[in-house]
Amino acid sequence: MTILVTGGAGYIGSHIVQGLVDRQQPVVVLDNLSTGFRHAVPPEAPLIVGEVGDEGLVSRLLSEHRIEAVMHFAASSVVPDSVTNPLGYYSNNTVSSLALLKSVVAAGIKYFVFSSTAAVYGNPDNQLVAEDQIARPMSPYGASKLMTETMLRDIASASSLKYVILRYFNVAGADPKLRTGQSTRAATHLVKVAVQAALGIRAGMDIFGTDYPTPDGTCVRDYIHVCDLVSAHIEALAYLRGGGNSATLNCGYGHGYSVRDVVDTVRRISGTDFAVAERSRRAGDPASIVADTRAIRRVLSWTPAFDNLEAIVQHALAWERKLTAQNR
Ligand code: UFG
Protein backbone atom coordinates (compact mmCIF):
# COMPACT_ATOMS: atom_id res chain seq x y z
CA MET A 1 0.00 0.00 0.00
CA THR A 2 1.75 3.08 -1.27
CA ILE A 3 2.11 6.39 0.56
CA LEU A 4 2.18 9.70 -1.31
CA VAL A 5 4.48 12.23 0.36
CA THR A 6 3.99 15.80 -0.85
CA GLY A 7 7.03 18.01 -0.26
CA GLY A 8 9.18 14.89 0.07
CA ALA A 9 12.26 16.65 -1.36
CA GLY A 10 12.25 19.24 1.43
CA TYR A 11 13.95 19.21 4.81
CA ILE A 12 11.33 17.41 6.89
CA GLY A 13 9.70 15.56 3.99
CA SER A 14 12.97 13.98 2.85
CA HIS A 15 13.63 12.60 6.34
CA ILE A 16 10.16 11.07 6.37
CA VAL A 17 10.66 9.54 2.92
CA GLN A 18 13.98 8.08 4.08
CA GLY A 19 12.28 6.75 7.22
CA LEU A 20 9.54 5.07 5.15
CA VAL A 21 12.11 3.59 2.75
CA ASP A 22 14.11 2.29 5.73
CA ARG A 23 10.95 0.50 6.87
CA GLN A 24 10.31 -0.98 3.38
CA GLN A 25 7.15 1.08 2.90
CA PRO A 26 6.39 1.90 -0.75
CA VAL A 27 6.43 5.66 -1.24
CA VAL A 28 5.96 8.18 -4.06
CA VAL A 29 7.09 11.80 -3.76
CA LEU A 30 5.37 14.86 -5.24
CA ASP A 31 7.44 18.04 -5.00
CA ASN A 32 7.75 21.15 -7.16
CA LEU A 33 11.43 21.55 -6.14
CA SER A 34 10.85 25.22 -5.28
CA THR A 35 12.70 24.74 -2.01
CA GLY A 36 13.38 20.99 -2.10
CA PHE A 37 16.25 19.12 -3.75
CA ARG A 38 16.19 16.17 -6.12
CA HIS A 39 19.24 14.73 -4.35
CA ALA A 40 17.35 14.69 -1.02
CA VAL A 41 14.96 12.00 -2.30
CA PRO A 42 16.31 8.46 -1.86
CA PRO A 43 16.55 6.50 -5.14
CA GLU A 44 13.96 3.95 -3.93
CA ALA A 45 11.23 6.65 -4.01
CA PRO A 46 9.96 7.84 -7.41
CA LEU A 47 9.92 11.66 -7.56
CA ILE A 48 7.20 13.40 -9.56
CA VAL A 49 7.97 17.08 -10.09
CA GLY A 50 4.73 19.02 -9.99
CA GLU A 51 2.27 21.07 -7.99
CA VAL A 52 0.12 19.82 -5.12
CA GLY A 53 -2.59 22.17 -6.40
CA ASP A 54 -2.64 20.49 -9.85
CA GLU A 55 -5.80 18.42 -9.42
CA GLY A 56 -5.38 16.53 -12.71
CA LEU A 57 -1.84 15.47 -11.88
CA VAL A 58 -2.65 14.53 -8.28
CA SER A 59 -5.75 12.52 -9.26
CA ARG A 60 -3.68 10.59 -11.83
CA LEU A 61 -0.97 9.92 -9.27
CA LEU A 62 -3.43 8.70 -6.65
CA SER A 63 -4.96 6.15 -8.99
CA GLU A 64 -1.86 5.07 -10.93
CA HIS A 65 0.11 4.37 -7.74
CA ARG A 66 -2.92 2.99 -5.85
CA ILE A 67 -2.24 5.38 -2.99
CA GLU A 68 -3.53 4.33 0.42
CA ALA A 69 -2.32 7.29 2.50
CA VAL A 70 -1.14 10.85 1.90
CA MET A 71 1.42 12.65 4.06
CA HIS A 72 1.23 16.34 3.23
CA PHE A 73 4.36 18.40 3.84
CA ALA A 74 4.52 20.68 0.78
CA ALA A 75 4.24 24.22 2.17
CA SER A 76 5.98 27.49 2.79
CA SER A 77 7.15 27.50 6.39
CA VAL A 78 9.05 30.63 7.41
CA VAL A 79 7.11 32.67 10.00
CA PRO A 80 8.61 36.14 9.18
CA ASP A 81 8.23 35.59 5.41
CA SER A 82 4.55 34.93 5.93
CA VAL A 83 4.17 38.31 7.63
CA THR A 84 5.49 40.12 4.53
CA ASN A 85 3.90 37.74 1.99
CA PRO A 86 0.53 36.60 3.37
CA LEU A 87 -1.01 36.00 -0.05
CA GLY A 88 1.84 33.67 -0.96
CA TYR A 89 1.29 31.69 2.25
CA TYR A 90 -2.48 31.42 1.93
CA SER A 91 -2.09 30.43 -1.68
CA ASN A 92 0.70 27.90 -1.21
CA ASN A 93 -0.47 26.45 2.08
CA THR A 94 -4.25 26.78 2.20
CA VAL A 95 -5.43 26.96 -1.41
CA SER A 96 -3.08 24.18 -2.58
CA SER A 97 -4.17 22.00 0.34
CA LEU A 98 -7.81 22.51 -0.62
CA ALA A 99 -7.07 21.29 -4.14
CA LEU A 100 -5.15 18.30 -2.76
CA LEU A 101 -8.01 17.43 -0.42
CA LYS A 102 -10.50 17.55 -3.30
CA SER A 103 -8.46 14.93 -5.16
CA VAL A 104 -7.97 12.88 -1.98
CA VAL A 105 -11.71 12.72 -1.28
CA ALA A 106 -12.61 12.02 -4.92
CA ALA A 107 -10.14 9.10 -4.95
CA GLY A 108 -11.49 7.69 -1.67
CA ILE A 109 -8.07 7.85 0.05
CA LYS A 110 -8.29 6.34 3.53
CA TYR A 111 -5.63 8.15 5.56
CA PHE A 112 -4.16 11.64 5.66
CA VAL A 113 -1.30 12.82 7.87
CA PHE A 114 -0.99 16.60 7.91
CA SER A 115 2.11 18.57 8.73
CA SER A 116 0.78 21.36 10.94
CA THR A 117 2.56 23.62 13.33
CA ALA A 118 2.74 25.01 16.83
CA ALA A 119 2.38 28.41 15.13
CA VAL A 120 -1.41 27.79 15.15
CA TYR A 121 -1.41 28.57 18.90
CA GLY A 122 0.10 32.06 18.72
CA ASN A 123 1.30 33.26 22.12
CA PRO A 124 -0.16 30.70 24.53
CA ASP A 125 -1.38 31.63 28.02
CA ASN A 126 -0.06 28.43 29.60
CA GLN A 127 3.51 27.30 30.02
CA LEU A 128 2.70 24.05 28.25
CA VAL A 129 0.27 24.29 25.36
CA ALA A 130 -2.24 21.46 24.88
CA GLU A 131 -4.15 20.65 21.70
CA ASP A 132 -7.49 21.86 23.07
CA GLN A 133 -6.17 25.35 23.76
CA ILE A 134 -7.84 27.96 21.55
CA ALA A 135 -5.71 28.53 18.46
CA ARG A 136 -4.89 32.22 17.91
CA PRO A 137 -2.13 32.30 15.30
CA MET A 138 0.13 35.38 15.32
CA SER A 139 1.32 34.97 11.74
CA PRO A 140 -0.23 34.25 8.33
CA TYR A 141 1.86 31.06 8.36
CA GLY A 142 0.09 29.77 11.48
CA ALA A 143 -3.29 30.96 10.15
CA SER A 144 -2.73 29.28 6.78
CA LYS A 145 -2.05 25.93 8.49
CA LEU A 146 -4.98 26.33 10.89
CA MET A 147 -7.31 26.88 7.92
CA THR A 148 -6.12 23.59 6.43
CA GLU A 149 -6.69 21.84 9.75
CA THR A 150 -10.26 23.17 9.77
CA MET A 151 -10.91 22.02 6.20
CA LEU A 152 -9.51 18.60 7.00
CA ARG A 153 -11.72 18.15 10.07
CA ASP A 154 -14.86 19.21 8.21
CA ILE A 155 -14.04 17.03 5.21
CA ALA A 156 -13.32 14.03 7.44
CA SER A 157 -16.67 14.33 9.20
CA ALA A 158 -18.43 14.34 5.83
CA SER A 159 -16.46 11.41 4.34
CA SER A 160 -14.63 8.22 5.29
CA LEU A 161 -11.24 10.00 5.41
CA LYS A 162 -9.29 9.57 8.67
CA TYR A 163 -6.51 11.97 9.60
CA VAL A 164 -3.78 12.72 12.07
CA ILE A 165 -2.79 16.37 12.33
CA LEU A 166 0.70 16.70 13.80
CA ARG A 167 1.51 20.15 15.19
CA TYR A 168 5.27 20.40 15.05
CA PHE A 169 7.21 22.50 17.47
CA ASN A 170 10.75 23.58 16.39
CA VAL A 171 12.19 20.88 14.18
CA ALA A 172 15.99 20.73 13.89
CA GLY A 173 18.92 18.34 13.48
CA ALA A 174 19.59 15.87 10.67
CA ASP A 175 19.67 12.18 9.84
CA PRO A 176 22.52 10.76 12.02
CA LYS A 177 23.70 8.80 8.94
CA LEU A 178 23.82 12.14 7.06
CA ARG A 179 21.77 10.88 4.11
CA THR A 180 19.69 14.06 4.27
CA GLY A 181 19.49 17.26 6.29
CA GLN A 182 18.50 20.93 6.05
CA SER A 183 20.03 21.88 2.69
CA THR A 184 18.55 25.36 2.16
CA ARG A 185 21.58 27.67 2.29
CA ALA A 186 19.55 30.75 3.15
CA ALA A 187 17.54 28.99 5.86
CA THR A 188 16.47 31.30 8.68
CA HIS A 189 15.86 28.75 11.43
CA LEU A 190 17.84 29.29 14.60
CA VAL A 191 19.81 26.03 14.86
CA LYS A 192 20.81 26.17 11.18
CA VAL A 193 21.84 29.84 11.42
CA ALA A 194 23.89 29.25 14.58
CA VAL A 195 25.61 26.22 13.06
CA GLN A 196 26.46 28.20 9.92
CA ALA A 197 27.92 30.95 12.10
CA ALA A 198 30.00 28.36 13.99
CA LEU A 199 31.42 27.00 10.73
CA GLY A 200 32.21 30.47 9.36
CA ILE A 201 29.60 30.16 6.58
CA ARG A 202 28.20 33.43 7.89
CA ALA A 203 30.12 36.15 9.68
CA GLY A 204 27.98 35.90 12.82
CA MET A 205 24.34 35.86 13.83
CA ASP A 206 21.62 37.96 15.42
CA ILE A 207 19.42 37.32 18.43
CA PHE A 208 16.00 38.79 17.70
CA GLY A 209 14.65 40.26 20.93
CA THR A 210 16.19 40.20 24.40
CA ASP A 211 13.29 41.85 26.27
CA TYR A 212 10.73 39.02 26.25
CA PRO A 213 9.09 37.99 29.53
CA THR A 214 11.21 34.81 29.67
CA PRO A 215 14.02 33.78 32.10
CA ASP A 216 16.83 35.28 29.99
CA GLY A 217 14.78 37.70 27.87
CA THR A 218 15.03 35.65 24.66
CA CYS A 219 12.31 33.49 23.09
CA VAL A 220 11.78 29.96 24.34
CA ARG A 221 11.03 27.08 21.96
CA ASP A 222 10.61 23.30 22.16
CA TYR A 223 13.27 21.91 19.77
CA ILE A 224 12.52 18.44 18.42
CA HIS A 225 14.96 16.26 16.48
CA VAL A 226 13.75 15.63 12.94
CA CYS A 227 14.20 11.85 13.40
CA ASP A 228 11.74 11.85 16.29
CA LEU A 229 9.33 13.60 13.98
CA VAL A 230 9.86 10.77 11.49
CA SER A 231 8.93 8.16 14.09
CA ALA A 232 5.85 10.23 15.06
CA HIS A 233 4.65 10.07 11.43
CA ILE A 234 5.32 6.36 11.16
CA GLU A 235 3.38 5.78 14.37
CA ALA A 236 0.56 8.08 13.22
CA LEU A 237 0.10 6.03 10.06
CA ALA A 238 0.25 2.75 11.99
CA TYR A 239 -2.38 4.14 14.35
CA LEU A 240 -4.73 5.04 11.48
CA ARG A 241 -4.14 1.69 9.79
CA GLY A 242 -5.00 0.02 13.09
CA GLY A 243 -8.41 1.70 13.08
CA GLY A 244 -7.58 4.76 15.20
CA ASN A 245 -9.89 7.77 15.14
CA SER A 246 -8.82 11.09 13.65
CA ALA A 247 -6.60 13.02 16.04
CA THR A 248 -4.68 16.28 16.47
CA LEU A 249 -1.38 15.90 18.32
CA ASN A 250 1.50 18.12 19.39
CA CYS A 251 4.98 17.00 18.35
CA GLY A 252 7.54 18.28 20.81
CA TYR A 253 9.39 17.11 23.91
CA GLY A 254 7.65 19.25 26.51
CA HIS A 255 10.57 21.41 27.58
CA GLY A 256 11.94 24.63 26.18
CA TYR A 257 15.28 26.25 25.45
CA SER A 258 15.91 29.94 25.00
CA VAL A 259 17.67 31.43 21.98
CA ARG A 260 20.69 32.02 24.24
CA ASP A 261 20.63 28.34 25.35
CA VAL A 262 20.80 27.28 21.71
CA VAL A 263 23.60 29.73 20.89
CA ASP A 264 25.60 28.60 23.94
CA THR A 265 25.14 24.92 23.04
CA VAL A 266 26.31 25.50 19.45
CA ARG A 267 29.32 27.47 20.72
CA ARG A 268 30.24 24.73 23.18
CA ILE A 269 29.80 21.78 20.82
CA SER A 270 31.53 23.46 17.88
CA GLY A 271 34.27 24.96 20.06
CA THR A 272 33.79 28.27 18.20
CA ASP A 273 33.03 31.61 19.80
CA PHE A 274 31.21 33.18 16.84
CA ALA A 275 29.90 36.75 16.90
CA VAL A 276 26.34 37.34 18.13
CA ALA A 277 24.54 40.69 17.87
CA GLU A 278 21.45 41.54 19.92
CA ARG A 279 18.68 43.03 17.78
CA SER A 280 15.07 44.08 18.23
CA ARG A 281 12.18 41.61 18.12
CA ARG A 282 11.22 39.86 14.89
CA ALA A 283 7.61 40.23 13.66
CA GLY A 284 5.31 37.29 14.38
CA ASP A 285 7.41 35.68 17.15
CA PRO A 286 5.61 34.43 20.28
CA ALA A 287 7.67 34.76 23.50
CA SER A 288 7.48 31.14 24.56
CA ILE A 289 5.90 28.01 23.17
CA VAL A 290 6.42 24.55 24.62
CA ALA A 291 4.34 21.43 23.94
CA ASP A 292 2.12 19.57 26.33
CA THR A 293 3.02 16.08 25.03
CA ARG A 294 0.58 13.95 26.99
CA ALA A 295 -1.76 13.37 24.03
CA ILE A 296 0.83 12.08 21.57
CA ARG A 297 2.34 9.81 24.20
CA ARG A 298 -1.09 8.45 25.09
CA VAL A 299 -2.51 8.04 21.56
CA LEU A 300 0.56 6.86 19.62
CA SER A 301 3.23 4.33 20.58
CA TRP A 302 5.81 7.12 20.27
CA THR A 303 9.01 7.18 22.28
CA PRO A 304 11.45 9.93 21.32
CA ALA A 305 15.05 8.79 20.82
CA PHE A 306 16.83 12.17 20.57
CA ASP A 307 15.35 14.32 23.33
CA ASN A 308 18.65 16.13 23.77
CA LEU A 309 19.64 19.57 22.46
CA GLU A 310 23.29 18.51 22.18
CA ALA A 311 22.41 15.61 19.85
CA ILE A 312 20.30 17.96 17.72
CA VAL A 313 23.20 20.41 17.46
CA GLN A 314 25.77 17.66 16.80
CA HIS A 315 23.76 16.25 13.90
CA ALA A 316 23.04 19.74 12.50
CA LEU A 317 26.76 20.55 12.65
CA ALA A 318 27.76 17.28 11.00
CA TRP A 319 25.26 17.84 8.18
CA GLU A 320 26.43 21.43 7.62
CA ARG A 321 30.05 20.24 7.43
CA LYS A 322 29.05 17.64 4.84
CA LEU A 323 27.17 20.24 2.77
CA THR A 324 30.13 22.61 2.90
CA ALA A 325 32.57 19.88 1.81
CA GLN A 326 30.25 18.94 -1.10
CA ASN A 327 29.92 22.53 -2.29
CA ARG A 328 33.65 23.20 -2.30
N1 UFG B 1 16.06 33.53 16.03
C1 UFG B 1 17.12 34.39 16.29
N2 UFG B 1 18.06 34.54 15.34
C2 UFG B 1 18.03 33.90 14.13
C3 UFG B 1 16.96 33.01 13.88
C4 UFG B 1 15.98 32.86 14.85
O1 UFG B 1 17.17 35.00 17.35
O2 UFG B 1 18.91 34.12 13.29
C5 UFG B 1 15.03 33.33 17.06
C6 UFG B 1 13.64 33.73 16.58
O3 UFG B 1 13.42 35.09 16.73
C7 UFG B 1 12.78 32.84 17.48
C8 UFG B 1 13.63 31.58 17.69
O4 UFG B 1 14.95 31.96 17.35
O5 UFG B 1 12.61 33.46 18.71
C9 UFG B 1 13.23 30.44 16.79
O6 UFG B 1 13.11 30.94 15.45
P1 UFG B 1 13.05 30.00 14.18
O7 UFG B 1 13.04 30.89 12.99
O8 UFG B 1 14.12 28.96 14.27
O9 UFG B 1 11.69 29.21 14.33
P2 UFG B 1 10.20 29.76 14.63
O10 UFG B 1 9.93 29.54 16.10
O11 UFG B 1 9.97 31.12 14.09
O12 UFG B 1 9.33 28.78 13.74
C10 UFG B 1 9.54 27.38 13.76
C11 UFG B 1 9.11 26.81 12.43
C12 UFG B 1 7.65 26.96 12.27
C13 UFG B 1 6.93 26.41 13.47
C14 UFG B 1 7.44 27.03 14.76
C15 UFG B 1 6.78 26.37 15.93
O13 UFG B 1 9.76 27.48 11.38
O14 UFG B 1 7.27 26.26 11.12
O15 UFG B 1 8.82 26.82 14.82
O16 UFG B 1 7.21 26.93 17.14
F1 UFG B 1 5.64 26.71 13.38
Side-chain angles (χ1 to χ4, degrees):
M1 295 302 252
T2 304
I3 302 151
L4 174 67
V5 178
T6 74
Y11 167 49
I12 296 175
S14 66
H15 284 84
I16 306 287
V17 173
Q18 188 63 63
L20 291 167
V21 166
D22 289 346
R23 290 162 180 83
Q24 282 84 44
Q25 302 252 1
V27 49
V28 175
V29 173
L30 173 63
D31 199 298
N32 67 6
L33 299 182
S34 60
T35 54
F37 299 90
R38 197 177 283 276
H39 65 72
V41 180
E44 296 86 346
L47 166 66
I48 288 90
V49 179
E51 299 295 333
V52 165
D54 181 341
E55 287 178 50
L57 170 68
V58 173
S59 299
R60 259 196 322 279
L61 265 178
L62 295 177
S63 80
E64 274 168 20
H65 293 271
R66 303 186 42 217
I67 299 295
E68 175 208 25
V70 174
M71 292 191 176
H72 179 35
F73 298 90
S76 305
S77 64
V78 179
V79 173
D81 285 357
S82 77
V83 176
T84 52
N85 180 21
L87 278 174
Y89 273 67
Y90 289 119
S91 161
N92 210 23
N93 294 357
T94 314
V95 176
S96 295
S97 296
L98 172 65
L100 173 66
L101 283 166
K102 275 190 197 163
S103 310
V104 160
V105 171
I109 300 298
K110 286 184 173 162
Y111 310 126
F112 198 92
V113 181
F114 178 53
S115 157
S116 191
T117 170
V120 299
Y121 294 116
N123 216 350
D125 300 328
N126 303 333
Q127 251 180 347
L128 296 180
V129 58
E131 292 82 351
D132 58 2
Q133 177 148 341
I134 294 172
R136 280 179 303 218
M138 284 174 67
S139 63
Y141 169 61
S144 71
K145 289 278 187 172
L146 185 59
M147 287 176 181
T148 304
E149 287 194 7
T150 307
M151 293 191 299
L152 190 49
R153 279 192 202 101
D154 290 345
I155 290 163
S157 34
S159 69
S160 59
L161 185 69
K162 291 269 193 306
Y163 66 81
V164 172
I165 292 169
L166 293 175
R167 291 179 172 165
Y168 311 161
F169 283 64
N170 287 58
V171 186
D175 173 32
K177 293 186 181 153
L178 303 185
R179 294 167 296 180
T180 186
Q182 169 59 281
S183 300
T184 312
R185 277 197 86 78
T188 56
H189 293 141
L190 179 64
V191 173
K192 173 91 174 178
V193 168
V195 158
Q196 287 183 329
L199 297 181
I201 297 164
R202 47 176 93 216
M205 62 166 290
D206 298 328
I207 292 182
F208 299 126
T210 53
D211 59 347
Y212 284 98
T214 57
D216 70 15
T218 67
C219 290
V220 171
R221 297 287 184 274
D222 187 341
Y223 293 90
I224 172 171
H225 195 292
V226 64
C227 290
D228 282 332
L229 204 65
V230 171
S231 57
H233 285 75
I234 305 281
E235 292 301 335
L237 185 57
Y239 162 80
L240 289 174
R241 282 175 170 162
N245 287 326
S246 295
T248 301
L249 303 169
N250 285 340
C251 272
Y253 293 142
H255 46 82
Y257 293 97
S258 72
V259 176
R260 289 192 207 280
D261 289 335
V262 173
V263 170
D264 290 348
T265 306
V266 175
R267 278 179 162 159
R268 186 159 36 80
I269 292 193
S270 66
T272 320
D273 196 13
F274 51 87
V276 175
E278 296 189 359
R279 307 280 181 210
S280 51
R281 293 182 178 193
R282 197 176 70 171
D285 275 345
S288 174
I289 176 144
V290 178
D292 180 329
T293 63
R294 282 175 297 178
I296 188 167
R297 290 172 192 270
R298 189 181 63 244
V299 174
L300 304 184
S301 317
W302 180 65
T303 315
F306 299 97
D307 178 359
N308 175 333
L309 185 60
E310 297 192 351
I312 291 175
V313 167
Q314 263 156 4
H315 294 151
L317 266 169
W319 174 255
E320 204 61 42
R321 286 199 180 98
K322 181 176 172 181
L323 263 188
T324 312
Q326 273 171 352
N327 293 336
R328 237 180 231 136

